[in-house]
Amino acid sequence: QVQLVESGGGLVQAGGSLRLSCTASGNIVSINAMGWYRQAPGKERELVARIVSGGRTNYADFVKGRFTISRDNAKNMVYLQMNSLAPEDTAVYYCNTVLPTLDGFRGYWGQGNQVTVSS
């Protein structure tokens, strides 16, 4: 019923930039929050950034000011602008959205796309 479609991943050189996009579609009335997670081989999935409907943002410590998350509420889209990329940023990046339910909320995941940073 709810689908998240991601785009923008790929191969980039160290120091370069990349912009990820995610569009939510389906039976959506409202969205509590949208965000980005990533998972590298042998590591657990970790939060990169998230943004709530009011515009408040949260970033992981490793971002260090390099990334910016933004949201287009009218289009149910979220973006992640990544600058000054480093090889340690190499991972599969997943879009996430949190929707309200009758008794709380529920999260949905995109299919994930690969980001590879070469040195």
Side-chain angles (χ1 to χ4, degrees):
Q1 291 183 328
V2 178
Q3 298 180 12
L4 300 178
V5 179
E6 304 164 325
S7 63
L11 176 64
V12 66
Q13 296 182 187
S17 299
L18 208 61
R19 192 190 194 203
L20 304 181
S21 300
C22 175
T23 303
S25 62
N27 187 21
I28 300 174
V29 178
S30 63
I31 297 177
N32 292 351
M34 301 188 78
W36 294 93
Y37 291 71
R38 72 183 189 185
Q39 186 170 21
K43 299 181 64 177
E44 295 184 349
R45 188 173 300 185
E46 60 183 347
L47 174 69
V48 179
R50 69 191 299 269
I51 184 169
V52 300
S53 60
R56 183 181 180 183
T57 59
N58 299 106
Y59 294 94
D61 289 340
F62 62 76
V63 169
K64 298 180 180 178
R66 300 175 300 141
F67 301 169
T68 302
I69 188 170
S70 60
R71 179 178 174 182
D72 187 332
N73 293 328
K75 298 180 179 179
N76 292 331
M77 295 186 67
V78 65
Y79 310 91
L80 184 67
Q81 178 66 46
M82 300 185 291
N83 301 322
S84 301
L85 285 165
E88 52 264 36
D89 295 314
T90 296
V92 177
Y93 284 71
Y94 297 88
C95 180
N96 170 265
T97 187
V98 179
L99 275 60
T101 65
L102 292 177
D103 56 355
F105 55 87
R106 178 180 177 181
Y108 296 86
W109 295 95
Q111 77 282 2
N113 53 10
Q114 180 71 44
V115 171
T116 302
V117 184
S118 62
S119 60

